[in-house]
Amino acid sequence: MGVGCSSSLPPTVNNPHCSITFPHTSAHTNPTSNHLPINWLARAHLQKPTKSPISKRLFTLDSARKTPTLKCGRTAQMEIEGGSDSKPILDLHSLDDNLVQKMVYDALVWSSLHGLVVGDRNVQRSGTVPGVGMVHAPFALLPTVFPENQWKLACEVAPIFNELVDRVSLDGKFLQESLSRTKKVDAFTSRLLDIHSKMLEINKKEEIRLGLHRSDYMLDEKTKLLLQIELNTISTSFPGLGSVVSELHRSLLKNYGEHLGCDVNCTPSNDAANRFSEALAKAWIEYNNPKAVIMVVVQPEERNMGGHAIAVIYFRAGYAPTDYPSEAEWRARLLMEHSSAIKCPSISYHLTGTKKIQQELAKPNVLEKFIDNKEDIAKLRKCFAGLWSLDDADIVDTAIEKPHLFVMKPQREGGGNNIYGDDVREALLRLRKDGKEQNAAYILMQRIFPTDSATFLVRDGSCHKDHAVSELGIYGAYLRNKDKVIVNERSGYLMRTKVSSSNEGGVAAGFAVLDSLYLT
Amino acid sequence: MGVGCSSSLPPTVNNPHCSITFPHTSAHTNPTSNHLPINWLARAHLQKPTKSPISKRLFTLDSARKTPTLKCGRTAQMEIEGGSDSKPILDLHSLDDNLVQKMVYDALVWSSLHGLVVGDRNVQRSGTVPGVGMVHAPFALLPTVFPENQWKLACEVAPIFNELVDRVSLDGKFLQESLSRTKKVDAFTSRLLDIHSKMLEINKKEEIRLGLHRSDYMLDEKTKLLLQIELNTISTSFPGLGSVVSELHRSLLKNYGEHLGCDVNCTPSNDAANRFSEALAKAWIEYNNPKAVIMVVVQPEERNMGGHAIAVIYFRAGYAPTDYPSEAEWRARLLMEHSSAIKCPSISYHLTGTKKIQQELAKPNVLEKFIDNKEDIAKLRKCFAGLWSLDDADIVDTAIEKPHLFVMKPQREGGGNNIYGDDVREALLRLRKDGKEQNAAYILMQRIFPTDSATFLVRDGSCHKDHAVSELGIYGAYLRNKDKVIVNERSGYLMRTKVSSSNEGGVAAGFAVLDSLYLT
């Protein structure tokens, strides 16, 4: 199995060098990474997938103590895959500074040796030349405790969300109508809809459809529910680094587990990068042209189309207005959409990932249009946070009254633009004055108050302890050729953790450290 | 199997944290590394050992052309392990700049992801904090062509050298007598001999003996012989990075092999770090005290003996006079020698690695004292370069006449102190004037003129082409408990390459890039 890129390059999935005209959002301005010159494709196949039986252990972080204590005990209903239920009750251990320092040291060495590195934004060259000015990626020293039942739910719904995206993407009318008012106030969505309209006009069919998604969740403290933040259908980031952090944590738990009283099997292994690569490779196989290549849209200013047939176009850029500084980029996007190449994502998949569609799908009786299985619908609903259009006068009244219970989300991708707290009231009052039209640029969402816990955050070689909140992303890969579903799976996960006080709500990637899970 | 380090640490070979009093030569002053905070122990178990059938291909670097061409063809007697001999004759390919740039880019990304990194000496903190200020280790872009028969010879003699070191180490009288005159002129060797004498006096027996050696060779252009430069018995460096570079080259040949017309199987895989770790772990097992730890002597100023029983002492420092700035270090060395711990190396092993002993062993009828098997003796002799004591008046006359055919080597470890060219004449004339005593501080060695070839050297993110020479090191591990030889093996290799004009003779590590072999 191979995935070619250009005739002068060998057919391997690790070598997708081709690039076209999209000025990728400069990594310097992108808080998501320390301008990382290494994409997840290069990270694929680094990790051996390992079977990880999940055993249940009680694991709490006692944040009241200055030095947190990891308490591990046996739960009443211990379930160990293939094992007995007679594990001994674990003693309590205190996590002393000396042990923390040893673990930090080991973790930093491990990071250096296993590619858990990014370009250091303080070193100019690191943004363009790989292999220089590297620093470890920021990470949480230990995995974050997470309820296993919620993890299982998130895993279960991943393929249902994959299927949902596919079904919604086929309903051009639904997409156009749902976004018709957003179109008027959001220039970017409008341009995407224009491309989508043109495809509808010529009745363009995408027989092979590839989705590499990530559904993001937070655990709501009060309700103990795992609520969806958003569903990303384009340029889903961090499958590579996320996978490596899980391995780091598994390595630490393996070496220090006895001292911590923890079980390495409570941290699930994570092969998101490999799963995504395999899905890309399988899409290439479905395209069935051995000379065709996979094109990755990433680089600024590079306009080389190469003259090669393109089997798959993977968008690592193209999701933000700044990725289209001129008409040339829009023409290129249209050209790609016209082509027979498999787009990841197609314009329909891209639009299906908009917040407005997320909100539309949360309306009563909408999921039912796309999914038959009632159990599946119930599972998806369970993850839906409260989502409302600003046309809903009652909810707007409530939000003006209790703004801290809501988040206002603009249609724009990328996070960091959300409105919280008293700003919600102000924004709603201003919109009320300005007239209805601008309502469509936002949705209102229930504010999630995630559980916070003591965490050791490691950045730039230093460790500090703070209270932090986490966001869990579940990757999903979907590949379909006509009626044949070739891939529909959960493909690993991403846990990001940030200091609770560092900004309001959400886990803006720029402030977050990479993390993994400790299931209880 | 586990190797403990301290009671607060888990029993794993990857965690030898203990350290004692030896001020390690500051990495800043050590040209061997860009003050690398990661030792090879941490790098162990990174590589999957892979079987590598060696197939023979013709591979030449046409250095007359500005852009070198890799010519690959079939040799008359092609031998492919377990394969057929019907491989097609390969076409010629030119190595164009574009391809080189692609390979350099891939190699740099690969380095970042696979731990082929060192601390950047331009970043102060990188010497003390792991995970920050990293840069890829300097490497040759492609492996260096090397004759397979010489490689096989070097591999074959590795266990014989291991055995030789062990036998010589048991002959205390031989060591003392051979080094008796060196003792008078070399203060460092003198101190080592003092410790050795004390052990002889108390009739100290080392029943479990562990050696982690590296025998270094250069290929002599005229004679086409592989001649031994030296045999290292203490602190043998680079098993970790050396292993990773072989994997880098194998990865490049795998991806670009068709374009280069090369076969990945011509580059042997290399698991030196794992082999050495396993030998250490096996030594720990032989010691047979589950609570005992492995102590690694590395860190400056750290005087923590930990209070734990020590099963194995691994010296990553202690080979240079600067490692013993006060009597405290010598007392510690003596204490360790007195102890029941397995020393790697013992004082006897250490002394056996001196240049004087190398020269003594090269004398007629000396090998025969230690080795019975005549074939083994013949193989060792084949690798011996001409080696002479300065007491040999005839050879000194010849060297004064033709100084460019000789190298003068002081007893001091670490390289970089050798005397070449006209300086040999001057030094010999000066010694002749000063009297016989100082003769013992040096040996004379046949100057080896290694084959030079065009090479792409990659440093600090940039690649440049130059003529270069290489030095091949073969690692050997030896473990014995009384009459039982537990390990006696070749344990991987190290290839270092440097620009031929960068200094005279030898491959001083500070100027060299890491490399691997392409066997023909």
Side-chain angles (χ1 to χ4, degrees), chain A residues 52-58 73 75 77-81 83-85 87 90 146 148 152 262-268 518-520:
Chain A
S52 69
I54 306 299
S55 67
K56 283 189 177 180
R57 295 280 181 98
L58 194 66
T75 57
Q77 298 88 22
M78 185 183 283
E79 288 166 24
I80 299 166
E81 270 181 45
S84 79
D85 61 312
K87 286 214 173 179
L90 294 160
F146 202 87
E148 189 172 1
K152 281 186 171 168
C262 300
D263 182 351
V264 62
N265 295 318
C266 292
T267 291
Y518 191 90
L519 299 177
T520 59

PDB file of all heavy atoms in Angstrom, chain A residues 52-58 73 75 77-81 83-85 87 90 146 148 152 262-268 518-520:
ATOM      1  N   SER A  52      -4.865  -1.955  24.989  1.00  0.00           N
ATOM      2  CA  SER A  52      -4.877  -1.426  26.343  1.00  0.00           C
ATOM      3  C   SER A  52      -6.144  -1.797  27.059  1.00  0.00           C
ATOM      4  O   SER A  52      -7.142  -1.115  26.979  1.00  0.00           O
ATOM      5  CB  SER A  52      -4.750   0.090  26.307  1.00  0.00           C
ATOM      6  OG  SER A  52      -5.917   0.642  25.777  1.00  0.00           O
ATOM      7  N   PRO A  53      -6.109  -2.894  27.753  1.00  0.00           N
ATOM      8  CA  PRO A  53      -7.279  -3.234  28.540  1.00  0.00           C
ATOM      9  C   PRO A  53      -7.489  -2.154  29.594  1.00  0.00           C
ATOM     10  O   PRO A  53      -6.538  -1.716  30.231  1.00  0.00           O
ATOM     11  CB  PRO A  53      -6.900  -4.573  29.180  1.00  0.00           C
ATOM     12  CG  PRO A  53      -5.409  -4.610  29.161  1.00  0.00           C
ATOM     13  CD  PRO A  53      -4.980  -3.791  27.992  1.00  0.00           C
ATOM     14  N   ILE A  54      -8.685  -1.706  29.709  1.00  0.00           N
ATOM     15  CA  ILE A  54      -8.969  -0.630  30.651  1.00  0.00           C
ATOM     16  C   ILE A  54      -9.431  -1.230  31.971  1.00  0.00           C
ATOM     17  O   ILE A  54     -10.456  -1.887  32.047  1.00  0.00           O
ATOM     18  CB  ILE A  54     -10.090   0.278  30.099  1.00  0.00           C
ATOM     19  CG1 ILE A  54      -9.743   0.780  28.687  1.00  0.00           C
ATOM     20  CG2 ILE A  54     -10.366   1.443  31.031  1.00  0.00           C
ATOM     21  CD1 ILE A  54      -8.490   1.597  28.607  1.00  0.00           C
ATOM     22  N   SER A  55      -8.659  -1.028  32.979  1.00  0.00           N
ATOM     23  CA  SER A  55      -9.119  -1.484  34.284  1.00  0.00           C
ATOM     24  C   SER A  55      -9.596  -0.274  35.066  1.00  0.00           C
ATOM     25  O   SER A  55      -9.152   0.845  34.839  1.00  0.00           O
ATOM     26  CB  SER A  55      -7.993  -2.189  35.027  1.00  0.00           C
ATOM     27  OG  SER A  55      -6.984  -1.274  35.341  1.00  0.00           O
ATOM     28  N   LYS A  56     -10.499  -0.503  35.958  1.00  0.00           N
ATOM     29  CA  LYS A  56     -11.064   0.615  36.717  1.00  0.00           C
ATOM     30  C   LYS A  56     -10.337   0.795  38.027  1.00  0.00           C
ATOM     31  O   LYS A  56     -10.191  -0.135  38.808  1.00  0.00           O
ATOM     32  CB  LYS A  56     -12.538   0.352  36.994  1.00  0.00           C
ATOM     33  CG  LYS A  56     -13.425   0.583  35.801  1.00  0.00           C
ATOM     34  CD  LYS A  56     -14.875   0.502  36.232  1.00  0.00           C
ATOM     35  CE  LYS A  56     -15.801   0.804  35.062  1.00  0.00           C
ATOM     36  NZ  LYS A  56     -17.205   0.721  35.463  1.00  0.00           N
ATOM     37  N   ARG A  57      -9.895   1.970  38.279  1.00  0.00           N
ATOM     38  CA  ARG A  57      -9.259   2.283  39.556  1.00  0.00           C
ATOM     39  C   ARG A  57      -9.800   3.621  40.043  1.00  0.00           C
ATOM     40  O   ARG A  57     -10.167   4.480  39.235  1.00  0.00           O
ATOM     41  CB  ARG A  57      -7.738   2.439  39.391  1.00  0.00           C
ATOM     42  CG  ARG A  57      -7.023   1.183  38.986  1.00  0.00           C
ATOM     43  CD  ARG A  57      -6.789   0.279  40.181  1.00  0.00           C
ATOM     44  NE  ARG A  57      -6.085  -0.911  39.749  1.00  0.00           N
ATOM     45  CZ  ARG A  57      -4.760  -1.079  39.858  1.00  0.00           C
ATOM     46  NH1 ARG A  57      -4.011  -0.118  40.368  1.00  0.00           N
ATOM     47  NH2 ARG A  57      -4.197  -2.183  39.452  1.00  0.00           N
ATOM     48  N   LEU A  58      -9.772   3.765  41.329  1.00  0.00           N
ATOM     49  CA  LEU A  58     -10.173   5.047  41.890  1.00  0.00           C
ATOM     50  C   LEU A  58      -8.939   5.919  41.962  1.00  0.00           C
ATOM     51  O   LEU A  58      -7.893   5.508  42.471  1.00  0.00           O
ATOM     52  CB  LEU A  58     -10.747   4.826  43.288  1.00  0.00           C
ATOM     53  CG  LEU A  58     -11.506   6.022  43.868  1.00  0.00           C
ATOM     54  CD1 LEU A  58     -12.753   6.301  43.062  1.00  0.00           C
ATOM     55  CD2 LEU A  58     -11.860   5.725  45.311  1.00  0.00           C
ATOM     56  N   GLY A  73      -7.582   3.480  44.668  1.00  0.00           N
ATOM     57  CA  GLY A  73      -8.244   2.398  45.393  1.00  0.00           C
ATOM     58  C   GLY A  73      -9.061   1.577  44.428  1.00  0.00           C
ATOM     59  O   GLY A  73      -9.122   1.857  43.252  1.00  0.00           O
ATOM     60  N   THR A  75     -12.535   0.209  42.958  1.00  0.00           N
ATOM     61  CA  THR A  75     -13.941   0.570  42.929  1.00  0.00           C
ATOM     62  C   THR A  75     -14.759  -0.682  43.222  1.00  0.00           C
ATOM     63  O   THR A  75     -14.257  -1.788  43.173  1.00  0.00           O
ATOM     64  CB  THR A  75     -14.356   1.114  41.552  1.00  0.00           C
ATOM     65  OG1 THR A  75     -14.048   0.126  40.587  1.00  0.00           O
ATOM     66  CG2 THR A  75     -13.629   2.392  41.231  1.00  0.00           C
ATOM     67  N   GLN A  77     -17.252  -1.974  41.527  1.00  0.00           N
ATOM     68  CA  GLN A  77     -17.419  -2.864  40.370  1.00  0.00           C
ATOM     69  C   GLN A  77     -16.189  -2.785  39.477  1.00  0.00           C
ATOM     70  O   GLN A  77     -16.212  -2.148  38.443  1.00  0.00           O
ATOM     71  CB  GLN A  77     -18.655  -2.508  39.544  1.00  0.00           C
ATOM     72  CG  GLN A  77     -19.970  -2.631  40.269  1.00  0.00           C
ATOM     73  CD  GLN A  77     -20.341  -1.363  40.994  1.00  0.00           C
ATOM     74  OE1 GLN A  77     -19.856  -0.292  40.643  1.00  0.00           O
ATOM     75  NE2 GLN A  77     -21.179  -1.462  41.998  1.00  0.00           N
ATOM     76  N   MET A  78     -15.137  -3.437  39.902  1.00  0.00           N
ATOM     77  CA  MET A  78     -13.935  -3.370  39.074  1.00  0.00           C
ATOM     78  C   MET A  78     -14.081  -4.302  37.880  1.00  0.00           C
ATOM     79  O   MET A  78     -14.448  -5.455  38.001  1.00  0.00           O
ATOM     80  CB  MET A  78     -12.712  -3.760  39.889  1.00  0.00           C
ATOM     81  CG  MET A  78     -11.429  -3.594  39.095  1.00  0.00           C
ATOM     82  SD  MET A  78     -10.031  -4.138  40.047  1.00  0.00           S
ATOM     83  CE  MET A  78      -9.834  -2.747  41.136  1.00  0.00           C
ATOM     84  N   GLU A  79     -13.811  -3.750  36.723  1.00  0.00           N
ATOM     85  CA  GLU A  79     -13.869  -4.575  35.517  1.00  0.00           C
ATOM     86  C   GLU A  79     -12.500  -4.526  34.844  1.00  0.00           C
ATOM     87  O   GLU A  79     -12.041  -3.463  34.444  1.00  0.00           O
ATOM     88  CB  GLU A  79     -14.891  -4.021  34.534  1.00  0.00           C
ATOM     89  CG  GLU A  79     -16.312  -4.222  34.954  1.00  0.00           C
ATOM     90  CD  GLU A  79     -17.248  -3.370  34.122  1.00  0.00           C
ATOM     91  OE1 GLU A  79     -16.865  -3.004  32.996  1.00  0.00           O
ATOM     92  OE2 GLU A  79     -18.338  -3.070  34.602  1.00  0.00           O
ATOM     93  N   ILE A  80     -11.864  -5.655  34.760  1.00  0.00           N
ATOM     94  CA  ILE A  80     -10.591  -5.687  34.059  1.00  0.00           C
ATOM     95  C   ILE A  80     -10.728  -6.651  32.896  1.00  0.00           C
ATOM     96  O   ILE A  80     -11.068  -7.821  33.092  1.00  0.00           O
ATOM     97  CB  ILE A  80      -9.446  -6.124  34.989  1.00  0.00           C
ATOM     98  CG1 ILE A  80      -9.335  -5.112  36.126  1.00  0.00           C
ATOM     99  CG2 ILE A  80      -8.138  -6.208  34.233  1.00  0.00           C
ATOM    100  CD1 ILE A  80      -8.493  -5.578  37.269  1.00  0.00           C
ATOM    101  N   GLU A  81     -10.505  -6.131  31.710  1.00  0.00           N
ATOM    102  CA  GLU A  81     -10.639  -6.970  30.521  1.00  0.00           C
ATOM    103  C   GLU A  81      -9.699  -8.161  30.607  1.00  0.00           C
ATOM    104  O   GLU A  81      -8.481  -7.999  30.710  1.00  0.00           O
ATOM    105  CB  GLU A  81     -10.286  -6.175  29.273  1.00  0.00           C
ATOM    106  CG  GLU A  81     -11.492  -5.472  28.671  1.00  0.00           C
ATOM    107  CD  GLU A  81     -11.076  -4.727  27.414  1.00  0.00           C
ATOM    108  OE1 GLU A  81     -10.339  -5.300  26.603  1.00  0.00           O
ATOM    109  OE2 GLU A  81     -11.500  -3.576  27.277  1.00  0.00           O
ATOM    110  N   GLY A  83      -8.968  -9.999  32.851  1.00  0.00           N
ATOM    111  CA  GLY A  83      -8.233 -10.208  34.102  1.00  0.00           C
ATOM    112  C   GLY A  83      -9.159 -10.597  35.232  1.00  0.00           C
ATOM    113  O   GLY A  83     -10.368 -10.729  35.065  1.00  0.00           O
ATOM    114  N   SER A  84      -8.594 -10.788  36.401  1.00  0.00           N
ATOM    115  CA  SER A  84      -9.429 -11.118  37.545  1.00  0.00           C
ATOM    116  C   SER A  84      -9.827  -9.824  38.239  1.00  0.00           C
ATOM    117  O   SER A  84      -9.312  -8.762  37.948  1.00  0.00           O
ATOM    118  CB  SER A  84      -8.668 -12.018  38.507  1.00  0.00           C
ATOM    119  OG  SER A  84      -7.788 -11.242  39.273  1.00  0.00           O
ATOM    120  N   ASP A  85     -10.755  -9.884  39.190  1.00  0.00           N
ATOM    121  CA  ASP A  85     -11.164  -8.672  39.889  1.00  0.00           C
ATOM    122  C   ASP A  85     -10.563  -8.637  41.292  1.00  0.00           C
ATOM    123  O   ASP A  85     -11.051  -7.975  42.167  1.00  0.00           O
ATOM    124  CB  ASP A  85     -12.688  -8.569  39.939  1.00  0.00           C
ATOM    125  CG  ASP A  85     -13.308  -9.743  40.671  1.00  0.00           C
ATOM    126  OD1 ASP A  85     -13.017 -10.786  40.447  1.00  0.00           O
ATOM    127  OD2 ASP A  85     -14.091  -9.644  41.467  1.00  0.00           O
ATOM    128  N   LYS A  87      -7.590  -7.492  42.323  1.00  0.00           N
ATOM    129  CA  LYS A  87      -6.426  -6.627  42.532  1.00  0.00           C
ATOM    130  C   LYS A  87      -6.431  -6.072  43.948  1.00  0.00           C
ATOM    131  O   LYS A  87      -7.475  -5.787  44.511  1.00  0.00           O
ATOM    132  CB  LYS A  87      -6.458  -5.466  41.538  1.00  0.00           C
ATOM    133  CG  LYS A  87      -6.087  -5.899  40.138  1.00  0.00           C
ATOM    134  CD  LYS A  87      -5.340  -4.795  39.431  1.00  0.00           C
ATOM    135  CE  LYS A  87      -4.814  -5.286  38.095  1.00  0.00           C
ATOM    136  NZ  LYS A  87      -4.100  -4.251  37.371  1.00  0.00           N
ATOM    137  N   LEU A  90      -5.040  -0.437  46.776  1.00  0.00           N
ATOM    138  CA  LEU A  90      -3.760   0.264  46.706  1.00  0.00           C
ATOM    139  C   LEU A  90      -3.574   1.196  47.883  1.00  0.00           C
ATOM    140  O   LEU A  90      -4.510   1.830  48.340  1.00  0.00           O
ATOM    141  CB  LEU A  90      -3.688   1.059  45.405  1.00  0.00           C
ATOM    142  CG  LEU A  90      -3.647   0.198  44.151  1.00  0.00           C
ATOM    143  CD1 LEU A  90      -4.062   1.004  42.950  1.00  0.00           C
ATOM    144  CD2 LEU A  90      -2.262  -0.388  43.960  1.00  0.00           C
ATOM    145  N   PHE A 146     -10.590  11.044  34.434  1.00  0.00           N
ATOM    146  CA  PHE A 146     -11.761  11.211  33.574  1.00  0.00           C
ATOM    147  C   PHE A 146     -12.678  10.008  33.778  1.00  0.00           C
ATOM    148  O   PHE A 146     -12.213   8.876  33.836  1.00  0.00           O
ATOM    149  CB  PHE A 146     -11.289  11.274  32.118  1.00  0.00           C
ATOM    150  CG  PHE A 146     -12.261  11.940  31.206  1.00  0.00           C
ATOM    151  CD1 PHE A 146     -12.240  13.318  31.035  1.00  0.00           C
ATOM    152  CD2 PHE A 146     -13.203  11.195  30.512  1.00  0.00           C
ATOM    153  CE1 PHE A 146     -13.141  13.947  30.194  1.00  0.00           C
ATOM    154  CE2 PHE A 146     -14.112  11.819  29.667  1.00  0.00           C
ATOM    155  CZ  PHE A 146     -14.069  13.196  29.506  1.00  0.00           C
ATOM    156  N   GLU A 148     -14.815   6.941  33.141  1.00  0.00           N
ATOM    157  CA  GLU A 148     -14.764   6.003  32.032  1.00  0.00           C
ATOM    158  C   GLU A 148     -16.079   5.934  31.256  1.00  0.00           C
ATOM    159  O   GLU A 148     -16.074   5.776  30.036  1.00  0.00           O
ATOM    160  CB  GLU A 148     -14.376   4.609  32.548  1.00  0.00           C
ATOM    161  CG  GLU A 148     -14.093   3.646  31.424  1.00  0.00           C
ATOM    162  CD  GLU A 148     -13.529   2.313  31.909  1.00  0.00           C
ATOM    163  OE1 GLU A 148     -13.382   2.131  33.124  1.00  0.00           O
ATOM    164  OE2 GLU A 148     -13.241   1.465  31.053  1.00  0.00           O
ATOM    165  N   LYS A 152     -16.417   6.384  27.290  1.00  0.00           N
ATOM    166  CA  LYS A 152     -17.025   5.362  26.435  1.00  0.00           C
ATOM    167  C   LYS A 152     -18.119   5.955  25.561  1.00  0.00           C
ATOM    168  O   LYS A 152     -18.231   5.621  24.375  1.00  0.00           O
ATOM    169  CB  LYS A 152     -17.589   4.211  27.286  1.00  0.00           C
ATOM    170  CG  LYS A 152     -16.511   3.240  27.744  1.00  0.00           C
ATOM    171  CD  LYS A 152     -17.128   2.047  28.464  1.00  0.00           C
ATOM    172  CE  LYS A 152     -16.075   0.976  28.720  1.00  0.00           C
ATOM    173  NZ  LYS A 152     -16.563  -0.052  29.665  1.00  0.00           N
ATOM    174  N   CYS A 262      -0.799   4.001  40.644  1.00  0.00           N
ATOM    175  CA  CYS A 262      -1.661   4.068  39.465  1.00  0.00           C
ATOM    176  C   CYS A 262      -1.409   2.893  38.546  1.00  0.00           C
ATOM    177  O   CYS A 262      -0.396   2.226  38.634  1.00  0.00           O
ATOM    178  CB  CYS A 262      -1.391   5.339  38.683  1.00  0.00           C
ATOM    179  SG  CYS A 262      -1.682   6.782  39.666  1.00  0.00           S
ATOM    180  N   ASP A 263      -2.340   2.729  37.628  1.00  0.00           N
ATOM    181  CA  ASP A 263      -2.262   1.619  36.694  1.00  0.00           C
ATOM    182  C   ASP A 263      -2.163   2.183  35.282  1.00  0.00           C
ATOM    183  O   ASP A 263      -3.029   2.932  34.832  1.00  0.00           O
ATOM    184  CB  ASP A 263      -3.527   0.771  36.855  1.00  0.00           C
ATOM    185  CG  ASP A 263      -3.508  -0.436  35.943  1.00  0.00           C
ATOM    186  OD1 ASP A 263      -2.619  -0.529  35.071  1.00  0.00           O
ATOM    187  OD2 ASP A 263      -4.392  -1.286  36.110  1.00  0.00           O
ATOM    188  N   VAL A 264      -1.095   1.820  34.574  1.00  0.00           N
ATOM    189  CA  VAL A 264      -0.875   2.339  33.226  1.00  0.00           C
ATOM    190  C   VAL A 264      -2.058   2.036  32.305  1.00  0.00           C
ATOM    191  O   VAL A 264      -2.352   2.786  31.386  1.00  0.00           O
ATOM    192  CB  VAL A 264       0.451   1.790  32.621  1.00  0.00           C
ATOM    193  CG1 VAL A 264       0.406   0.274  32.492  1.00  0.00           C
ATOM    194  CG2 VAL A 264       0.763   2.438  31.287  1.00  0.00           C
ATOM    195  N   ASN A 265      -2.765   0.952  32.591  1.00  0.00           N
ATOM    196  CA  ASN A 265      -3.870   0.576  31.718  1.00  0.00           C
ATOM    197  C   ASN A 265      -5.080   1.493  31.821  1.00  0.00           C
ATOM    198  O   ASN A 265      -6.012   1.392  31.035  1.00  0.00           O
ATOM    199  CB  ASN A 265      -4.281  -0.866  32.004  1.00  0.00           C
ATOM    200  CG  ASN A 265      -3.180  -1.819  31.643  1.00  0.00           C
ATOM    201  OD1 ASN A 265      -2.539  -1.662  30.593  1.00  0.00           O
ATOM    202  ND2 ASN A 265      -2.911  -2.776  32.511  1.00  0.00           N
ATOM    203  N   CYS A 266      -5.059   2.373  32.821  1.00  0.00           N
ATOM    204  CA  CYS A 266      -6.139   3.354  32.926  1.00  0.00           C
ATOM    205  C   CYS A 266      -5.963   4.496  31.931  1.00  0.00           C
ATOM    206  O   CYS A 266      -6.862   5.318  31.774  1.00  0.00           O
ATOM    207  CB  CYS A 266      -6.220   3.907  34.350  1.00  0.00           C
ATOM    208  SG  CYS A 266      -6.752   2.660  35.536  1.00  0.00           S
ATOM    209  N   THR A 267      -4.785   4.587  31.331  1.00  0.00           N
ATOM    210  CA  THR A 267      -4.579   5.598  30.286  1.00  0.00           C
ATOM    211  C   THR A 267      -4.630   4.915  28.930  1.00  0.00           C
ATOM    212  O   THR A 267      -3.741   4.142  28.583  1.00  0.00           O
ATOM    213  CB  THR A 267      -3.229   6.313  30.491  1.00  0.00           C
ATOM    214  OG1 THR A 267      -3.322   7.109  31.672  1.00  0.00           O
ATOM    215  CG2 THR A 267      -2.900   7.226  29.326  1.00  0.00           C
ATOM    216  N   PRO A 268      -5.695   5.178  28.191  1.00  0.00           N
ATOM    217  CA  PRO A 268      -5.823   4.479  26.910  1.00  0.00           C
ATOM    218  C   PRO A 268      -4.730   4.909  25.936  1.00  0.00           C
ATOM    219  O   PRO A 268      -4.345   6.072  25.908  1.00  0.00           O
ATOM    220  CB  PRO A 268      -7.204   4.890  26.397  1.00  0.00           C
ATOM    221  CG  PRO A 268      -7.616   6.070  27.190  1.00  0.00           C
ATOM    222  CD  PRO A 268      -6.818   6.087  28.450  1.00  0.00           C
ATOM    223  N   TYR A 518      -6.877   9.618  32.403  1.00  0.00           N
ATOM    224  CA  TYR A 518      -6.766   8.521  33.353  1.00  0.00           C
ATOM    225  C   TYR A 518      -8.195   8.122  33.709  1.00  0.00           C
ATOM    226  O   TYR A 518      -8.892   8.851  34.407  1.00  0.00           O
ATOM    227  CB  TYR A 518      -5.969   8.933  34.588  1.00  0.00           C
ATOM    228  CG  TYR A 518      -5.618   7.754  35.449  1.00  0.00           C
ATOM    229  CD1 TYR A 518      -4.432   7.052  35.237  1.00  0.00           C
ATOM    230  CD2 TYR A 518      -6.484   7.312  36.433  1.00  0.00           C
ATOM    231  CE1 TYR A 518      -4.113   5.947  35.997  1.00  0.00           C
ATOM    232  CE2 TYR A 518      -6.171   6.199  37.204  1.00  0.00           C
ATOM    233  CZ  TYR A 518      -4.984   5.522  36.984  1.00  0.00           C
ATOM    234  OH  TYR A 518      -4.670   4.425  37.726  1.00  0.00           O
ATOM    235  N   LEU A 519      -8.619   6.979  33.210  1.00  0.00           N
ATOM    236  CA  LEU A 519     -10.023   6.593  33.336  1.00  0.00           C
ATOM    237  C   LEU A 519     -10.316   5.971  34.691  1.00  0.00           C
ATOM    238  O   LEU A 519      -9.533   5.153  35.183  1.00  0.00           O
ATOM    239  CB  LEU A 519     -10.381   5.611  32.219  1.00  0.00           C
ATOM    240  CG  LEU A 519     -10.215   6.165  30.806  1.00  0.00           C
ATOM    241  CD1 LEU A 519     -10.529   5.093  29.787  1.00  0.00           C
ATOM    242  CD2 LEU A 519     -11.097   7.390  30.599  1.00  0.00           C
ATOM    243  N   THR A 520     -11.424   6.405  35.254  1.00  0.00           N
ATOM    244  CA  THR A 520     -11.831   5.858  36.551  1.00  0.00           C
ATOM    245  C   THR A 520     -13.288   5.419  36.476  1.00  0.00           C
ATOM    246  O   THR A 520     -14.044   5.903  35.666  1.00  0.00           O
ATOM    247  CB  THR A 520     -11.706   6.918  37.658  1.00  0.00           C
ATOM    248  OG1 THR A 520     -12.524   8.033  37.307  1.00  0.00           O
ATOM    249  CG2 THR A 520     -10.270   7.344  37.844  1.00  0.00           C
TER     250      THR A 520
END
